[in-house]
């Protein structure tokens, strides 16, 4: 497979598959430095480190798509202990705070996905190719005491 175009030789760049974070795609140059403006990911910020049964779990999700502006995000969260049920959130933009009661110690994970609509900042608004959909999986584990 040829990894180059007319201006940049991509053979020196690679995607790390052993990423620590789910959904993180970070490109590294030949010196091992990350190229953040070509990467995409999300962050989950838990409001506490340790949670207890009957706590109201609170997590802030921030979605990033470098060189793009997040227009909206639709989130689908699996309901704990009933994978046939899904909680749906429409139009959460680039940030969303997830809240859920922790019923028992088995509720120690957030599973779901986010469908993102993003606008390429380098293109004109009326350009039909300026918008892109992207799906990322959400899988966050936390400690319940």
């Amino acid at each position: 497979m040829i990894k180059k175009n007319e201006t940049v030789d991509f053979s020196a760049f690679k995607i790390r598959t052993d990423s620590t974070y789910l959904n993180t795609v970070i490109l590294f140059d030949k010196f091992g430095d990350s190229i953040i403006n070509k990467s995409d990911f999300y962050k989950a910020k838990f409001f506490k480190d340790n949670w207890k049964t009957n706590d109201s779990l609170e997590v802030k999700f921030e979605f990033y798509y470098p060189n793009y502006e997040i227009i909206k995000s639709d989130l689908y969260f699996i309901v704990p202990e009933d994978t046939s049920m899904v909680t749906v959130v429409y139009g959460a933009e680039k940030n969303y705070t997830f809240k859920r009661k922790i019923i028992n110690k088995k509720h120690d994970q957030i599973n779901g996905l986010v469908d993102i609509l993003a606008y390429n900042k380098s293109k004109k608004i009326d350009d039909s190719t300026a918008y892109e959909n992207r799906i990322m999986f959400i899988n966050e584990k936390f400690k319940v005491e």
Side-chain angles (χ1 to χ4, degrees):
M1 177 167 78
I2 298 172
K3 293 185 174 182
K4 56 173 76 173
N5 67 16
E6 294 177 2
T7 57
V8 179
D9 179 1
F10 286 98
S11 63
F13 300 88
K14 61 184 177 184
I15 295 176
R16 293 269 308 261
T17 56
D18 63 340
S19 175
T20 304
Y21 303 99
L22 182 70
N23 295 317
T24 304
V25 178
I26 301 178
L27 298 175
F28 291 85
D29 65 17
K30 61 184 175 183
F31 304 108
D33 295 324
S34 60
I35 309 170
I36 297 299
N37 65 348
K38 293 194 178 292
S39 305
D40 61 83
F41 51 90
Y42 77 85
K43 287 183 183 176
K45 295 181 179 180
F46 287 82
F47 284 67
K48 295 192 315 188
D49 290 330
N50 295 318
W51 300 89
K52 296 181 180 169
T53 303
N54 292 323
D55 277 354
S56 184
L57 175 67
E58 199 168 351
V59 184
K60 182 177 182 178
F61 287 99
E62 295 177 2
F63 303 107
Y64 296 89
Y65 199 174
N67 300 322
Y68 283 78
E69 179 182 340
I70 304 293
I71 304 297
K72 74 177 189 105
S73 56
D74 296 333
L75 295 90
Y76 304 86
F77 295 107
I78 296 171
V79 175
E81 296 183 12
D82 186 355
T83 56
S84 66
M85 295 291 292
V86 175
T87 301
V88 182
V89 180
Y90 293 110
E93 297 181 2
K94 65 180 178 181
N95 298 323
Y96 174 72
T97 301
F98 177 79
K99 294 180 182 180
R100 182 185 76 206
K101 189 166 181 97
I102 301 172
I103 297 170
N104 60 45
K105 288 189 176 187
K106 293 180 184 177
H107 289 187
D108 63 350
Q109 198 162 357
I110 301 170
N111 291 310
L113 62 85
V114 58
D115 181 8
I116 293 174
L117 176 62
Y119 165 69
N120 186 334
K121 295 178 188 177
S122 67
K123 296 187 178 185
K124 294 181 180 179
I125 290 178
D126 59 352
D127 183 348
S128 63
T129 65
Y131 296 90
E132 186 170 325
N133 271 76
R134 181 157 210 122
I135 293 176
M136 289 190 291
F137 291 97
I138 295 173
N139 187 358
E140 293 293 328
K141 196 147 177 77
F142 54 94
K143 185 176 179 181
V144 178
E145 296 178 345

